[in-house]
Structures are given as structure tokens and as C-alpha cells.
């Protein structure tokens, strides 16, 4: 099977990349290992889109443009939610995971993207520094996909790993989190409910009925409606990149979530109707290995709000590092400002026709702690898709930079 652009991973970045490449005239195949789209936005029930708005103390104002803004505005309408302001002037958009999936499918079909679900890349064939084939495995079928260019939005630099080129790796990555939905929450003011939940869980820990790790439970702001809401349970161990760690994450998080809800229902008068109504399909792992690009985004770029000449995507979220403590370490840049992400962070240092976006971006662990959020993944995915399509059209991806800047980065004022 031949195509112009193969996009790997149908998460936020992959959806944006596939649509952008298709709208630029490329024939696009989008490969997804799950039976649904959305990546962690749906499988991990993230529940909120961060990285869309400037940080300020007044109303939410979009910083991102192009696909990121258009998709989010439609998702807000279909989810019937509104932007929510959090601490330090941060704004985010709550959403319904089912609405995210439905809207993504609609947008991909309208753009003419060929979607391959339940499929994953098992091997990469190279020739003279280029990818010439991706070997796909699905249920009972093996397919050789012959792309002109590839955009890796797998979240873990999957294509670079299979091609055996150097990646950005750490001994440990940020700690993960597990999300589940409950019904039967008492009808209270949101801030009061959040504080009460912390108090109820702490009471169980002090009595010895809950393990201390349960203290990492919190309500995802903006998701509670008529007693139904999303709860997030932070995991106390850093992710070491192994399948053993992932497996233990899944076992511990699900067991701990059930234990908390059963304890609260039996011991707190206001929570006698509390029930788990759904659990995320997988634990949310915030960061994994990343691809090596021509350039690397680092924490200084973020904190000084750098705006390079080849900036093609926008980041607005602070550096949010989740370690072994209950709360993350936050590093902020100036309010009402943003940073631009250079095109070179999305282009492989080693393979001439490999691009990447989202959590596979070429970035330090501190920098990806900002750029990993969904709003920024939309922005980098869209840019990487347009760069890959330009590589097909003219053979020179750099020719797309000015056009991408006009669509995604520059304000109406220039």
C-alpha cells in the first residue's frame, strides 16, 4: 500500500497532523494501535485540554490558532462545557472523551484521511537514510505500507526506536496518573467539594483503612455535573520506561481506586451513593522516550518565551513536573505571553523523511513537561503534518515554514 504521508498514532497530535497533511494535498494514512481515536485524551480520560489559552487573571483568551483553536471550539460546543480558570491564572477546557472521539472521526473523514485502527508498526525498512516501508500488523493481517514521509505521533518515539536511531531517554520519567468516573458525588460548590474529598480520604488514611498513596486522589476541575465527575489518582512512583512498571501501574491504580470508593461509600454519610461508572482504558503516562531532532526545545526556551525565526507552533502551558510528591513542581513564564516551537524540533536528525510531534517532540524532560499538553500537541501535530506534506510536494520542508507561521503562530496584528 502506498501513501504520501503515514501518521503513526491517532492521539491529539496525530489527528492534527493527518488533517493538516491531507488539507495540504497529501494522500494520508493514519495508523492507530487502539480501536478508537484520541490517544490518551480518550484512553486515559484526561478530561481537560491545557495549553490553549494565555495565562492571565481575567477571561480565557486563545493563544493557539488554526486547527488547535477550531477543533477546541467545536469540542467545547459538543461537550457543553466552558473554559475554567485554575490557580495562577491558568485556563483549560473541560471536555467529554466520547465527544472528542466523535469529533475526531468526523474531522478525519471530512479531510479524506484513511484511518487504520487496531494496527501497529512492527518494523521499519530503511534505505540510504530514508524510511522506505513500515510493516504493519493488525488482527490476522500483515501490510507493507510504503510512505513518502512519516510523522511519528506515537508518544514514545516508536519509529525512531524501530529504526534503531538515537532517542532522548532518561532513567526515569514523570509519574503517571489514573482517571475514573464516579456518580453520587454530593451537590456542593466545586471548591468545597474538592477540599471535602481530600478531608474524607485523609480520614481513611489516619484510621488505617486506606494506604497513604490514596492521598493523591483529586477531582479534575470543571468535570463535575449533577453528581457525576472525573477523579484523578496520582501514582507515587516515577515511570522507569519498562513494561513491568506499566503493568504494576495498571494493577495498583485500579485496585486503589476501587478501595477508595468502597471505603468512602461505607464510611462517609454524604457519599453513600458513590459508585465508579467507568475507568480509563489505560494509565496516563505523561512522558516517555522522544525523537532526536535537528533542534531541541529546552526549559530556557520556555521560560524566556523564545520566538525563533522558524517557529511553527505555540506553547502556553508552564513547566509542570510530576515527581514523587503529591503536587507537581510548576515553573511559570510571563502572563499573556507564549513561546514558539521551532520546526527543527519536529524533523529527524537521522532520517531524511521522518517528522514527529506531540510527546515525541525533540525536547528535554523539563521542556516536554510543558509541551506535552493536548493544546500544544494539536499545534505541533498540525505543523509537523504540513512540513511532511511540503516534503512530498516540493522535496523541501523548509518552504512550508512561512505558510505555517501565518496559519498557526502569528496573530492578526503580525
Amino acid at each position: 500500500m502506498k501513501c504520501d504521508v503515514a501518521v503513526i498514532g491517532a492521539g491529539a497530535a496525530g489527528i492534527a497532523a493527518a488533517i493538516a497533511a491531507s488539507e495540504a494535498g497529501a494522500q494520508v494514512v493514519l495508523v492507530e494501535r487502539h480501536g478508537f481515536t484520541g490517544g490518551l485524551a480518550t484512553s486515559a480520560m484526561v478530561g481537560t485540554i491545557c495549553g490553549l489559552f494565555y495565562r492571565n487573571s481575567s477571561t480565557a483568551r486563545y493563544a493557539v490558532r488554526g486547527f488547535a483553536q477550531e477543533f477546541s471550539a467545536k469540542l467545547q460546543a459538543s461537550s457543553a462545557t466552558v473554559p475554567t480558570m485554575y490557580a495562577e491564572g491558568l485556563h483549560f477546557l473541560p471536555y467529554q472523551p466520547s465527544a472528542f472521539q466523535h469529533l475526531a472521526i468526523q474531522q478525519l473523514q471530512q479531510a479524506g484521511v484513511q484511518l487504520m485502527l487496531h494496527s501497529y508498526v512492527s518494523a521499519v525498512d530503511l534505505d540510504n537514510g530514508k524510511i522506505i516501508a513500515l510493516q504493519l500488523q493488525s488482527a490476522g493481517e500483515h501490510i507493507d505500507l510504503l510512505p513518502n514521509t512519516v510523522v511519528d505521533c506515537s508518544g514514545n518515539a516508536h519509529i525512531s526506536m524501530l529504526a534503531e536511531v538515537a532517542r532522548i531517554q532518561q532513567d526515569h520519567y514523570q509519574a503517571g496518573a489514573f482517571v475514573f468516573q464516579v456518580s453520587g458525588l454530593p451537590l456542593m460548590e466545586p471548591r468545597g467539594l474538592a477540599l471535602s474529598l481530600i478531608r474524607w480520604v485523609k480520614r481513611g488514611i489516619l484510621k488505617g483503612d486506606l494506604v497513604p498513596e490514596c492521598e493523591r486522589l483529586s477531582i479534575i476541575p470543571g468535570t463535575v455535573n449533577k453528581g457525576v465527575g472525573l477523579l484523578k489518582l496520582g501514582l507515587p512512583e516515577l515511570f522507569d520506561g519498562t513494561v513491568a512498571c506499566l503493568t504494576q501501574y495498571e494493577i495498583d491504580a485500579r485496585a486503589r481506586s476501587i478501595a477508595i470508593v468502597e471505603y468512602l461509600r461505607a464510611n462517609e454519610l454524604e457519599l453513600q451513593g458513590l459508585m465508579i461508572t467507568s475507568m480509563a482504558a489505560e494509565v496516563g503516562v505523561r512522558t516517555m522516550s522522544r525523537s532526536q531532532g535537528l533542534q531541541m526545545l529546552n526549559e530556557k526556551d520556555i521560560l524566556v518565551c523564545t520566538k525563533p525565526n522558524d517557529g511553527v507552533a505555540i506553547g502556553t502551558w508552564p513547566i509542570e513536573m510530576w515527581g514523587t510528591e503529591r503536587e507537581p513542581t510548576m515553573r511559570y513564564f510571563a502572563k499573556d505571553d507564549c513561546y514558539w516551537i521551532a520546526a527543527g524540533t519536529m524533523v529527524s536528525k537521522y532520517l531524511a523523511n521522518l517528522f514527529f510531534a506531540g510527546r515525541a517532540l525533540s525536547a528535554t524532560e523539563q521542556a516536554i513537561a510543558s509541551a506535552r499538553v493536548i493544546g500544544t500537541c494539536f499545534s505541533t501535530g498540525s505543523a509537523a503534518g504540513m512540513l511532511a506534506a511540503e516534503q512530498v510536494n516540493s522535496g523541501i520542508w523548509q518552504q512550508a515554514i512561512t505558510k505555517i507561521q501565518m496559519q498557526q503562530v502569528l496573530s492578526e496584528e503580525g
Side-chain angles (χ1 to χ4, degrees):
M1 179 190 296
K2 293 183 178 179
C3 67
D4 293 329
V5 179
V7 179
I8 311 305
I15 292 164
I19 291 173
S22 186
E23 290 180 344
Q27 181 192 4
V28 181
V29 173
L30 175 55
V31 181
E32 169 55 44
R33 64 189 172 103
H34 289 308
F36 50 84
T37 62
L40 292 181
T42 52
S43 65
M45 298 170 64
V46 174
T48 58
I49 297 182
C50 302
L52 296 173
F53 308 106
Y54 288 107
R55 184 169 71 95
N56 59 53
S57 302
S58 58
T59 58
R61 182 167 63 91
Y62 273 107
V64 295
R65 300 186 61 211
F67 176 85
Q69 182 176 350
E70 294 160 8
F71 186 92
S72 301
K74 291 176 182 175
L75 183 60
Q76 177 182 340
S78 56
S79 296
T81 57
V82 295
T84 299
M85 187 166 77
Y86 193 57
E88 303 292 339
L90 294 172
H91 300 264
F92 53 80
L93 178 65
Y95 68 91
Q96 294 294 330
S98 58
F100 192 112
Q101 285 189 52
H102 182 63
L103 180 60
I105 291 291
Q106 278 186 328
Q107 299 272 295
L108 290 166
Q109 290 177 334
Q110 288 172 9
V113 173
Q114 181 177 350
L115 182 60
M116 297 182 66
L117 298 175
H118 293 295
S119 303
Y120 65 93
V121 182
S122 59
V124 174
D125 296 337
L126 305 176
D127 182 46
N128 198 27
K130 290 185 65 176
I131 297 170
I132 58 171
L134 301 174
Q135 297 182 31
L136 306 186
Q137 191 66 48
S138 60
E141 189 177 13
H142 179 92
I143 299 171
D144 284 336
L145 183 61
L146 310 177
N148 195 316
T149 59
V150 177
V151 184
D152 185 351
C153 299
S154 62
N156 63 349
H158 187 62
I159 302 303
S160 293
M161 180 188 70
L162 292 175
E164 298 183 344
V165 297
R167 292 172 288 152
I168 303 165
Q169 295 177 279
Q170 277 83 224
D171 291 337
H172 291 89
Y173 302 90
Q174 294 186 58
F178 183 67
V179 175
F180 56 100
Q181 185 185 60
V182 296
S183 63
L185 290 168
L187 302 180
M188 299 171 63
E189 178 270 328
R191 179 68 178 162
L193 178 60
L195 293 175
S196 294
L197 182 68
I198 293 172
R199 187 174 67 251
W200 291 324
V201 171
K202 278 188 174 179
R203 197 145 55 201
I205 295 171
L206 290 173
K207 289 166 60 179
D209 291 337
L210 293 174
V211 296
E213 290 82 0
C214 296
E215 187 185 20
R216 294 163 182 268
L217 186 75
S218 62
I219 295 174
I220 298 180
T223 66
V224 178
N225 183 22
K226 298 179 180 176
V228 178
L230 295 179
L231 304 187
K232 179 172 69 177
L233 180 62
L235 294 163
E237 304 88 8
L238 296 175
F239 176 53
D240 66 7
T242 67
V243 68
C245 183
L246 269 181
T247 302
Q248 200 62 49
Y249 263 8
E250 298 284 358
I251 293 171
D252 290 347
R254 292 169 200 281
R256 219 167 277 156
S257 301
I258 292 171
I260 291 171
V261 170
E262 288 181 348
Y263 165 80
L264 293 176
R265 186 170 59 232
N267 291 276
E268 298 295 342
L269 186 63
E270 299 95 329
L271 298 173
Q272 289 183 343
L274 192 68
M275 292 182 60
I276 294 177
T277 49
S278 64
M279 285 184 162
E282 63 180 317
V283 165
V285 175
R286 293 183 169 92
T287 57
M288 301 176 82
S289 67
R290 297 174 296 283
S291 306
Q292 284 271 9
L294 298 175
Q295 297 170 256
M296 186 180 298
L297 182 70
N298 62 52
E299 48 270 41
K300 182 181 177 184
D301 295 331
I302 292 169
L303 295 175
V304 303
C305 295
T306 186
K307 295 179 177 62
N309 292 333
D310 62 342
V312 291
I314 280 182
T316 70
W317 198 251
I319 296 173
E320 179 184 341
M321 287 289 291
W322 286 87
T324 57
E325 303 300 321
R326 186 181 187 280
E327 300 292 337
T329 300
M330 305 292 289
R331 298 173 72 190
Y332 297 93
F333 48 84
K335 289 184 177 180
D336 292 307
D337 207 346
C338 64
Y339 61 93
W340 294 0
I341 302 172
T345 65
M346 304 170 200
V347 183
S348 175
K349 183 177 181 180
Y350 303 107
L351 299 174
N353 59 344
L354 176 61
F355 300 81
F356 25 77
R359 295 182 299 132
L361 195 71
S362 178
T364 65
E365 182 72 2
Q366 286 277 334
I368 203 67
S370 165
R372 66 176 175 77
V373 297
I374 295 174
T376 310
C377 287
F378 280 147
S379 192
T380 58
S382 189
M386 285 189 269
L387 292 171
E390 185 62 35
Q391 179 78 2
V392 174
N393 293 334
S394 69
I396 306 173
W397 56 265
Q398 292 92 336
Q399 289 190 3
I401 289 176
T402 301
K403 180 180 179 181
I404 299 172
Q405 288 180 330
M406 294 298 292
Q407 292 183 8
Q408 290 222 128
V409 174
L410 298 175
S411 67
E412 281 77 3
E413 293 80 18

